[in-house]
Structure formats: C-alpha cells, structure tokens
Amino acid sequence: MRRQRAIASENVRLRLIRKIDDFSAKNLVKCAVYASSIIFFFTLILIPPIAGILENIGKLKTIYYDPSLLTSANLAIINSFTMAFTVATLDLIAALPLAWFIVRSKMKIVNFIDVLVDIPFLIPTAALGYSSLLFWSSQDGISRIFGMETLIPPGFALVLLLHFAFSYPVIVRVMVGELLTYREVYEVAARTLGAQPFTAVRTITLPLLKPGIIVSFLLAFARSLSETGATVIAAGNFENGPVFIFKNIDKVGEGALVYVSSVLILASTIIFFLIKLLAPSLKFPIKRAFPSIERKLSSYEVVKFRDGATILVFLIIVVAPSLFIALPVLSALLDGTVNEMVAGSELWNVFWRSMLISYAVGSISTLMNVVFGLPAAVLIARRKLGRATSIFKALVSIPIIVPSIALGVSLKFFWGKYGFIPEFWVIVFSHTTITYTYFVESMSAAIEGIPVEMEDVAGTLGAKPFTIFRRITLPLTKYAVFSGAILVFTRALGETGAAKAVVRTKEFQTLPVLLVDWIINKRATSSQSALGIGLYIISAFLVLLALRFIIRERRR
Amino acid sequence: MPSIRLVNVTKKFGGITAIKKLSLTINDCEYVCVLGPSGSGKTTLLRLIAGIIKPDEGEIYINNKLVNDVPPQERNVAYVPQYYALFPHLTVIDNVAFGPLSRGLRREEAYKVGMHMLEMTRLAWRAESLPYELSGGMQQRLALARGLACGAKILLLDEPLGALDARLRVELRFRLREIAKENGLTVIHVTHDQEEAIVVADRLIVLRGGEIQQEGPPSQVYNEPKNIFVAHFVGGANFFEGFIAETDPHGSWVQLRNGFILRVNETRWKVGEKIVIMIREEKTEIIKGIKRREDINLLPGTIKEASFLGDFVIYGILLDNGDNVNSKMPTLLGIGKFKIGERVYVRLRTEYLRAYPYPPQGLYQELKVM
C-alpha cells in the first residue's frame, strides 16, 4: 500500500516536471522569461534614474542664481572624486601586501587575519562611521593614549581614514581570489631563470594580475564615491557630493540637487568607463631588472618588515576603528539604557519600526533581484544577446558606479510623479535599483564558470531547459545565488544615501537613516545611539549567520 | 535506423567559415572517424549534428528526418565532448541516470539502466564516487556510459581519448569500437590522431578548412590519398618537386632538382608541367652497392640520421640533389643496418609513386596542417 502511494506520488511529480519541462522548451516561454527580465531592468533599474534627472534638467539653471551654493556644490563634487581616487590608491598600496600575506604566508596567524578582514564588510557602514568617529575623535578613543581630547577631528582626514577602512576589504577579497587562481608556476619559472623574488613579482605576477588590480581599484573607488551614511557622521565641515545632498536635501531648491546628482552620475560613469578602457593599456615597468636593489628588497628582513607594517596598518586603521563600537555598546548595556529600551518609549518604538522597515525592504528587494536578475545573469553569461550583450553588461554595471544618494535623488524625482505608488514601494524600488548590479554580476560570473558544454551535453542527453536549469545550472551555482542574495540583502540593509533621498515621511525611515539622524542631530543620547547601533550590528550579524548556516547546510 | 545525412551544410562564426557546403552520409551502425588538424571544423561538425548549434545553410537529416530546427534533447544523439563535461556535483550513477531521468523514466528504471551501463563499462563498483575521484580512463568510460544510457543509437565522440596517456589510449580505442559494435551504434569519432583513426574506423573522413578532403575505408585513404594534404596528414610521406620531362604511352619521366630523373607510371601529364611526387616512408627503400645501368629510380645520397621508434627505425637521407627523404623500416630488419655518413642509394619503385599537380600556393603551404 505504501509502495503504491509512493509510486503514485512519484508519477505526479514526474508528470509535473514533464509539464514544466515541455513548457520551458517552448521558444515563446524562453523569450517571455528573458524579455520580462530585460523589461524589469529597463523599467525599474535603468530608466527611472535617467528619466528622473532628465525631466528635471530644466531646474538646473536655478543654482546659477546662488553663486555661493554653486561654489560649495562644485567643491563637494571635486571632493568626492579626490577622496575616491586617494582612498582607492592608498587602499591598493596597503591591501595588496595583505592579500599576498594571506595567500602565501604559512604562518598560523593567517587564518585569524583572514577572518578579521571581513569585519568592515559585516558592520553596516553607518555603524562603522560612528565607530570610527568614536575611535579617532572622542575622548574615550585613541586620543586618550596621546593625552589629547581629539586626535583626528571630524573632517577630511577622518573621512579618509573611514573610507580607507571600509574599502580595504574589497581590495583584499578581490586580490586574494585573484592570487588563489593565479598559477604560481610562472613566478617559479621566472625565478629559475635567475629573477629575484621581487623582480619575478614585479615583472611576471603583477602584470598578469592587472585585470584583478583594476577591478579592485574600481570597486574601492565606487564604494568610496557612493558611501553616504558613515561619511555624514564623520564629515564635520567637510563636504563631498553625498554629504552635500544629505545635508541640503530639505533645505535647498531642487536645482542644486539636480545639479550635484547629474554631475555625479555623469562624471562617475565617464570616469569609470575611462579607467576600465585605459587602465588595461597601463604598462608595468617590466623591461629592466635591478638585481642588487631587488635582491635587497627580496631579503628576509625586508619581507618581514613589509608584512609587519602591513598587519600593523590593517589592525590600527581598519580593525580597531571598526570594532571600537563594542565598548560604548557594552557601556550602554550596563548603564541602564537597556532597561529604558525594554520599558519602551517613543524613541525606541521608532527604532523597532525602522528596523522592521529595513528588513522588509531588504528582503523584498533581494527577492525581486533574484527572480528578475537570474535570467539577466544567464543572458550575460551565455551571451544570448549576441553583440548587444556587451552593451547590456555595461548598462547593468551603472548602478554600482553611481553614488547611491545621487541615484536616490533622481529616483525621488521619478517616483514622486506617481503619487499613487505607496512610499514603502518607492523605497523598495530604489533599494532594488541600487543592489541589482551586485546580484547580476556575481551570478553571471558564477554561470560563466560552468563550462557551456555541461548544459549542451545535458541537452543532448534529453534534458529540457527547465531540467537543465534545475539539475545542472542551479546546483552548480547555488552557492553563488545565496552569496549574491546575501550581498544584495546586506547592501540594501546598510544603504543610507538612497534611502535618505526617497523617504518622504518619518514613518518610513529605514534604520541607517534613523541612526544617522540620531547621531548628527543629537536626537538621542550617545548611550542610546551606541545601543541602537549595537542592536543594528547584532541583528545584521545574526541574519548573516543564519543565511551562511543555510548555505553551508545546502552545500553539504 | 540511425543514419545521418548532411546536405550542403555551411556554418560561419563571424567572418570565419568553419564548415563549407559540406555533404556527407553516415550509414546505420557505421563507425566513422573524422580526422583533421586543429581548426578544421571537426568539433563544429559534431555540434551541428548534436543540435547545439544550427547550420547557416544546408540541411541535416537524422534517420531521414530533417532536424535543422529540432532541439538537442529531441534528436536522440549522445554527444561526448572533449574532457567529457561530467557533472561534477552528481555521483557516477547520478551522472549516468541523468539521461534516462530527463527522458521521463521512473527513478528506479533510470537507475537500473544506469547500473547496466556502468556494468558494461566496468564502472559499477565506483557508482557512488564523484567524477573527480575517478582516473582519466574511468572518466572517459563514464562519459561513454552516460551517453549510452539515454538510449541514443548515435554517438558523437569529440577527441574521446585525447586526455588519456598513450598506453590507455591504445587500450581504450579497441574497447570503444567493441562497445559500439556490440550495441549497434552509429558513431562519429573525431580525432586528430591519424593512427587512432585508421585503427578504429570503418570509414575515414579527412577534413580541412571545413571541407572534406577525402573519405573512404582507412586503407584506401592511406594507400590512395587524393591530394598532397591527405598524403601528408595520414601517415608519413616523402615529397619531390619536379617537371615532366618526357611522356610515353606507359608513363612519364620527371626531372627533379639538379638533374635527377624519376619514372612514374602516369600518362595524364603534359611535358613541362610542374608536379609533386609522393611516396610513403615505409615504401622508400635504401640499398647498398653499385647502381646498374638498367636500374631506374635509384637516387644516390648519404645517411644523415637514424631515429629509433621501438617497432620501427627511420633513416634520414640527404640525396645528392639536395632533397631530404625518410625511409621507415621494421626494427628487426633495419636497426644498425646503415651507418651515419654511409653512401647509399634510395630506391623509389614506380608502382608506389603517386603524382599530384603542383599546388598553386606552393608545396610548403599545402603541407601546413595549422
């Protein structure tokens, strides 16, 4: 009886799969799936920010009536790019040796360093900004060691240190990946031909790693250019583009916002593509060798000094400011703020509501990106659009390049026209726009990693498109799907700039926007802010942990 | 009956034509080897038949049914790509059962078919292993089992032995043919190894630049190559450039470089015509002693090198007219027979000489395989 029931249920399952299989084999269905993902990209991701700015371009002229505002807007824009370029360059110089250390060193400490690298990734940037502010600028931070009130006051230097810290792991992670896939045999061959280790790295390894170096530089550049929440906290009187928009969004006319946003969007897109185009032709100095100098640079002492200095910079500028928040959170736990939170008050009610909104926005935008981003990733990875694939791929990368608050301003203009769309959904749409690239790019890279022959062979063995996807593509990219989803979710959860731009009423403030408001407008005591940030970090950490646990289970 | 027919098939990739107006028929249960250098269109031909790519022009018929627009899963053709594309996340048995399951078989039946195929390929004992845990030869057999399990009667093998070591390659090529014949399969086996192709094929197809140069039984293609390229690509050969000096009703006299004369048994040439003469290395004889007046096709030269190949020895001879020739002979007969620097004659028997028109782009260009 049980066996018959099992056979019956197997039959039902087979019939269902066969039906979906037959359905998926129809050209019309395949076209519909891909078309829907393209339509989604254009209507929700690409057109809204462009249309939002273009429709309001006429308001640009109003800024010319206010020369002082124009001057400060221009300065803010220049500051944005100067900061991004400086940070990306410094990060590259400091992070590359650490990536090298992680991959090549046999020391036991490597595993510990490897874990520490991800800390700035795990802490939402607004929280990181507050932590850095307390570490570098407050009396209780590093200033105490030097007997000073403020070692580094809010301003350019603090923003530089902050951006350095949160962009640093991007470069380490990309370069660790590159070094792991790099075939060391080239370097070994160079050394057997008489090259000093330093010469071999300079003339063979680094030129071969150039694509990875360019990508990591661009990612750090984009991350610095786009960050808003933490920058606002650490900025003091310093203003870059996102800070200018953040501070003036409710004060100045739309002309100034359109001006700064459009220039940021246009300039960042041009600079990004210029770097991408020109950087590959940049030559490493490989034509000459300097045996005596390079022998010294390869010596045990120099290498040890380099590793020591790298780890020191990493611990002092990246790890310590990121973890410093733990101290005020601990003191908030002990000084009675927790009791006040548990008892409940208007302040904490708003906090919990914002947290709920943040998680709801993060979840829905992640789901939308997974559903519509997956076919787009397949289109890119399998070059299904022929020559147009490269154009589509370039368009997909735009949201990651453009400062998110500038994108938020244009989205605010665009969705503002459609008053009937509830504010919550406008926030969801804007977060979907900002995070779309992360999912599609990570997924398309994962799919590209599967030899196309696997899918071809599965087809010749009788599998229809749905079965090929279900049994071959998905199992082999499952890890990437989850990782991409986590990336999107954490990015959406930590987004301040775009959220600030599109939120119209206080009821829909997301958590990072609320916390930045608490800190810079002093709406909460420092103890309350610390506790709020602590809860934010812990909740994000728990969700990440849960997701990683699910992934690990599934991988088994 | 599983037969394949291609009619005027053309496939282009951008500006490159991979297959040019190719027509071909493969009969039921035939084991065909497609031989050609890299870039000759071998893999493209397989991918066209498997339905992974579509032809730009022409028709493809499988079992007399036009399949140009039929997707791969409906063609009932098993394609085994180079390096096999085994699904790394599925066990050996899951890999083999993938085809039957995809074709709608119940799980139990699918695994039964899978196990049968694994037994046939002697892999049943590794059913629960993952592909990366298998040796190269086992992976090759698994790819074959997976292809056979889906019930296809047409098997497309793309360099199936290319990733294996020399010893295993020799062993497995006979096993491949054996399995194909036992199961009544029609096989297209793509390779660039001429020895492998000659040994296993019922019919050989030589491809170059997307065009068929010659097709036929291996012995015919080897002994009667239609052009210089086939002669050069299938087996070792010596080539001589020359002009027709004189013709008579029984043959022609050919003038080689520096006044050397050769006799060929062909009468189709005109006096003054430039030609290329070919003779297989193993049919190039070396003799010691003095030339008699009545001897023809005896060319003087000096032994320059001797290469020991195990079963065979190849002597390299520099002829007095400046041409180089190789002579291949069984080790038992040839080893130590001639010394480096020894003066010898090379005998080229007229019955083994074949003449071809001189290629317009030159002999060197014609012999290029890349």
Side-chain angles (χ1 to χ4, degrees):
Chain A
M1 188 68 179
R2 192 181 290 169
R3 187 176 151 73
Q4 276 177 342
R5 218 177 297 151
I7 290 173
S9 78
E10 166 92 2
N11 281 342
V12 171
R13 197 182 69 89
L14 281 177
R15 263 204 302 275
L16 183 69
I17 289 175
R18 209 171 302 154
K19 272 196 179 157
I20 303 175
D21 255 341
D22 291 341
F23 192 62
S24 71
K26 287 180 180 155
N27 277 337
L28 192 70
V29 175
K30 276 192 266 183
C31 288
V33 170
Y34 290 129
S36 67
S37 97
I38 293 174
I39 291 167
F40 173 84
F41 171 69
F42 280 101
T43 54
L44 212 68
I45 310 294
L46 193 68
I47 293 176
I50 295 172
I53 282 290
L54 288 181
E55 282 172 7
N56 290 278
I57 209 86
K59 292 174 186 164
L60 262 180
K61 56 179 181 282
T62 57
I63 195 171
Y64 292 101
Y65 303 136
D66 190 343
S68 68
L69 190 65
L70 180 65
T71 311
S72 56
N74 282 336
L75 188 66
I77 292 165
I78 293 167
N79 281 344
S80 265
F81 290 103
T82 314
M83 178 64 71
F85 190 79
T86 315
V87 163
T89 310
L90 290 175
D91 264 331
L92 198 60
I93 295 166
L96 197 56
L98 194 79
W100 197 274
F101 178 76
I102 290 172
V103 175
R104 297 283 175 93
S105 177
K106 304 270 186 293
M107 291 165 73
K108 281 186 181 161
I109 196 179
V110 165
N111 290 334
F112 180 61
I113 297 277
D114 197 21
V115 171
L116 285 182
V117 167
D118 287 333
I119 285 175
F121 263 153
L122 299 176
I123 300 173
T125 48
L128 196 72
Y130 188 54
S131 188
S132 292
L133 178 76
L134 295 179
F135 180 78
W136 294 110
S137 305
S138 80
Q139 289 175 13
D140 302 324
I142 199 167
S143 317
R144 183 180 281 182
I145 301 171
F146 296 94
M148 294 163 76
E149 205 164 290
T150 303
L151 180 67
I152 295 167
F156 177 85
L158 186 60
V159 173
L160 185 72
L161 286 167
L162 170 71
H163 282 212
F164 180 90
F166 66 64
S167 301
Y168 188 92
V170 176
I171 294 191
V172 176
R173 278 287 157 254
V174 173
M175 290 318 298
V176 164
E178 290 287 320
L179 282 166
L180 284 174
T181 52
Y182 170 70
R183 291 184 64 202
E184 220 174 310
V185 67
Y186 299 121
E187 206 177 297
V188 173
R191 290 183 62 184
T192 59
L193 294 169
Q196 293 297 327
F198 188 88
T199 318
V201 170
R202 178 176 62 81
T203 57
I204 305 295
T205 309
L206 288 181
L208 287 172
L209 293 177
K210 196 160 70 173
I213 294 173
I214 296 167
V215 167
S216 62
F217 180 88
L218 283 174
L219 286 174
F221 185 84
R223 198 159 153 84
S224 165
L225 202 61
S226 196
E227 212 295 319
T228 310
T231 315
V232 168
I233 292 171
N237 291 327
F238 170 76
E239 264 187 4
N240 65 0
V243 175
F244 178 89
I245 297 174
F246 193 96
K247 284 187 175 168
N248 295 307
I249 198 156
D250 300 319
K251 294 179 195 161
V252 295
E254 287 179 341
L257 298 181
V258 172
Y259 176 75
V260 178
S261 299
S262 55
V263 173
L264 280 177
I265 291 174
L266 204 68
S268 56
T269 310
I270 292 171
I271 288 175
F272 190 85
F273 284 112
L274 271 180
I275 295 177
K276 225 173 173 180
L277 274 175
L278 299 178
S281 52
L282 247 165
K283 296 271 184 287
F284 278 81
I286 57 168
K287 298 272 159 111
R288 283 188 65 190
F290 310 93
S292 61
I293 301 170
E294 292 183 322
R295 184 176 296 120
K296 280 176 193 153
L297 288 173
S298 310
S299 69
Y300 179 81
E301 294 75 24
V302 173
V303 170
K304 284 291 146 198
F305 175 77
R306 185 200 66 202
D307 288 347
T310 302
I311 293 171
L312 210 63
V313 166
F314 169 62
L315 292 177
I316 294 175
I317 304 181
V318 181
V319 179
S322 306
L323 291 178
F324 191 73
I325 188 71
L327 291 179
V329 170
L330 215 64
S331 99
L333 289 175
L334 301 171
D335 71 3
T337 316
V338 177
N339 298 339
E340 176 211 316
M341 179 201 78
V342 175
S345 66
E346 179 54 27
L347 188 90
W348 289 107
N349 288 344
V350 171
F351 176 85
W352 294 119
R353 189 182 60 208
S354 291
M355 187 178 269
L356 192 69
I357 289 169
S358 274
Y359 277 94
V361 166
S363 308
I364 299 172
S365 47
T366 305
L367 193 71
M368 286 170 77
N369 275 332
V370 171
V371 171
F372 291 101
L374 214 48
V378 175
L379 283 176
I380 292 172
R382 295 295 181 228
R383 303 197 64 80
K384 286 192 183 283
L385 297 173
R387 285 182 186 171
T389 306
S390 308
I391 299 168
F392 185 58
K393 194 177 175 187
L395 292 176
V396 163
S397 70
I398 288 177
I400 211 172
I401 308 161
V402 173
S404 61
I405 197 165
L407 215 60
V409 167
S410 48
L411 289 170
K412 166 194 158 97
F413 289 140
F414 182 82
W415 295 113
K417 286 185 308 180
Y418 307 99
F420 60 89
I421 298 176
E423 188 175 356
F424 175 76
W425 284 102
V426 173
I427 299 170
V428 169
F429 291 162
S430 62
H431 282 72
T432 309
T433 305
I434 280 148
T435 52
Y436 180 83
T437 313
Y438 290 91
F439 185 76
V440 175
E441 287 208 336
S442 64
M443 265 322 290
S444 64
I447 296 171
E448 269 174 36
I450 306 173
V452 72
E453 284 85 5
M454 296 242 184
E455 291 165 5
D456 291 345
V457 167
T460 66
L461 293 172
K464 290 180 177 165
F466 175 66
T467 295
I468 295 176
F469 181 74
R470 186 173 59 89
R471 296 210 56 209
I472 306 296
T473 316
L474 198 58
L476 289 172
T477 53
K478 199 162 54 185
Y479 182 69
V481 173
F482 278 104
S483 308
I486 288 177
L487 202 63
V488 168
F489 184 76
T490 49
R491 181 74 180 83
L493 203 63
E495 176 53 34
T496 317
K500 170 72 180 172
V502 293
V503 168
R504 291 195 294 264
T505 52
K506 284 201 182 286
E507 286 78 54
F508 287 101
Q509 267 187 337
T510 58
L511 197 52
V513 175
L514 178 87
L515 289 172
V516 172
D517 185 45
W518 276 14
I519 295 159
I520 62 165
N521 295 321
K522 303 206 175 1
R523 293 196 204 280
T525 64
S526 57
S527 228
Q528 286 169 327
S529 298
L531 185 61
I533 295 255
L535 289 169
Y536 180 29
I537 295 172
I538 292 164
S539 70
F541 203 75
L542 287 177
V543 170
L544 269 181
L545 218 61
L547 286 170
R548 279 191 192 276
F549 182 72
I550 294 169
I551 292 173
R552 216 178 47 203
E553 283 299 299
R554 303 236 164 175
R555 277 181 100 188
R556 279 181 195 158
Chain B
M1 287 289 110
S3 64
I4 304 163
R5 188 154 57 92
L6 279 80
V7 183
N8 286 330
V9 170
T10 297
K11 180 68 195 173
K12 291 178 186 170
F13 296 106
I16 296 163
T17 308
I19 296 285
K20 279 181 210 158
K21 290 209 166 290
L22 188 137
S23 293
L24 170 70
T25 303
I26 291 159
N27 303 314
D28 179 28
C29 294
E30 201 176 10
Y31 198 114
V32 171
C33 270
V34 179
L35 187 63
S38 301
S40 59
K42 306 184 297 285
T43 299
T44 306
L45 178 67
L46 288 197
R47 291 166 69 82
L48 280 166
I49 297 169
I52 295 161
I53 47 173
K54 285 185 178 181
D56 297 320
E57 287 168 31
E59 291 106 47
I60 300 174
Y61 296 88
I62 293 178
N63 300 336
N64 294 320
K65 187 184 150 203
L66 182 66
V67 293
N68 279 29
D69 294 318
V70 176
Q73 64 269 19
E74 308 291 344
R75 293 196 181 192
N76 213 15
V77 165
Y79 170 55
V80 180
Q82 208 174 358
Y83 305 110
Y84 323 130
L86 298 170
F87 306 134
H89 59 302
L90 302 182
T91 60
V92 166
I93 182 68
D94 287 335
N95 260 283
V96 182
F98 180 89
L101 281 171
S102 298
R103 289 180 194 271
L105 242 68
R106 207 186 298 280
R107 195 184 293 263
E108 268 176 28
E109 291 169 41
Y111 281 85
K112 210 169 138 189
V113 172
M115 274 317 280
H116 175 64
M117 291 304 153
L118 288 182
E119 274 157 20
M120 194 173 78
T121 48
R122 301 173 201 154
L123 275 175
W125 64 291
R126 298 302 299 266
E128 294 306 321
S129 303
L130 283 166
Y132 77 88
E133 294 168 336
L134 304 182
S135 68
M138 287 177 183
Q139 289 185 4
Q140 195 276 333
R141 282 184 279 148
L142 172 58
L144 190 66
R146 187 180 63 177
L148 297 175
C150 67
K153 285 289 176 192
I154 293 175
L155 196 56
L156 307 175
L157 307 171
D158 190 358
E159 302 269 8
L161 308 172
L164 307 177
D165 59 68
R167 182 79 223 161
L168 206 56
R169 255 168 36 200
V170 173
E171 271 175 38
L172 278 178
R173 61 193 183 201
F174 293 110
R175 181 79 190 126
L176 265 181
R177 187 180 160 86
E178 211 176 280
I179 291 173
K181 293 295 172 191
E182 277 169 9
N183 291 279
L185 303 174
T186 303
V187 181
I188 305 182
H189 173 148
V190 152
T191 180
H192 63 260
D193 181 340
Q194 47 111 354
E195 191 186 308
E196 179 182 306
I198 288 172
V199 170
V200 295
D202 293 327
R203 183 153 54 112
L204 208 60
I205 294 172
V206 184
L207 215 58
R208 186 199 196 187
E211 289 173 301
I212 293 178
Q213 301 291 307
Q214 188 171 358
E215 58 177 305
S219 58
Q220 188 191 59
V221 173
Y222 187 81
N223 292 321
E224 298 159 36
K226 270 191 180 166
N227 57 38
I228 297 169
F229 174 77
V230 175
H232 177 61
F233 196 72
V234 185
N238 294 308
F239 295 92
F240 304 91
E241 294 178 24
F243 290 95
I244 300 291
E246 203 181 315
T247 59
D248 58 54
H250 305 292
S252 312
W253 293 98
V254 184
Q255 179 161 0
L256 308 183
R257 284 205 281 173
N258 296 326
F260 276 31
I261 297 285
L262 274 184
R263 171 80 178 170
V264 292
N265 287 345
E266 292 188 24
T267 54
R268 58 182 166 135
W269 309 105
K270 290 189 188 106
V271 174
E273 212 168 343
K274 193 171 183 187
I275 62 163
V276 174
I277 297 170
M278 185 282 293
I279 185 165
R280 290 281 175 211
E281 285 177 351
E282 67 276 12
K283 287 169 180 167
T284 305
E285 296 172 49
I286 310 174
I287 54 168
K288 291 180 182 179
I290 299 157
K291 183 185 175 186
R292 288 172 302 183
R293 286 191 66 182
E294 64 272 24
D295 278 341
I296 57 166
N297 289 4
L298 272 179
L299 308 177
T302 310
I303 300 282
K304 280 289 168 200
E305 58 183 359
S307 311
F308 175 61
L309 302 181
D311 296 351
F312 292 93
V313 185
I314 293 182
Y315 285 103
I317 305 121
L318 175 65
L319 298 180
D320 289 354
N321 74 338
D323 281 339
N324 283 295
V325 292
N326 286 336
S327 172
K328 186 177 176 184
M329 56 188 75
T331 303
L332 270 178
L333 299 176
I335 191 87
K337 195 172 175 184
F338 305 103
K339 292 187 179 67
I340 306 293
E342 191 177 345
R343 293 287 299 164
V344 290
Y345 283 98
V346 170
R347 173 181 280 161
L348 310 171
R349 292 181 188 272
T350 51
E351 61 267 37
Y352 298 139
L353 290 177
R354 297 189 66 84
Y356 301 95
Y358 191 81
Q361 69 274 34
L363 181 60
Y364 175 75
Q365 200 62 27
E366 186 65 11
L367 295 180
K368 257 171 72 172
V369 290
M370 290 291 282

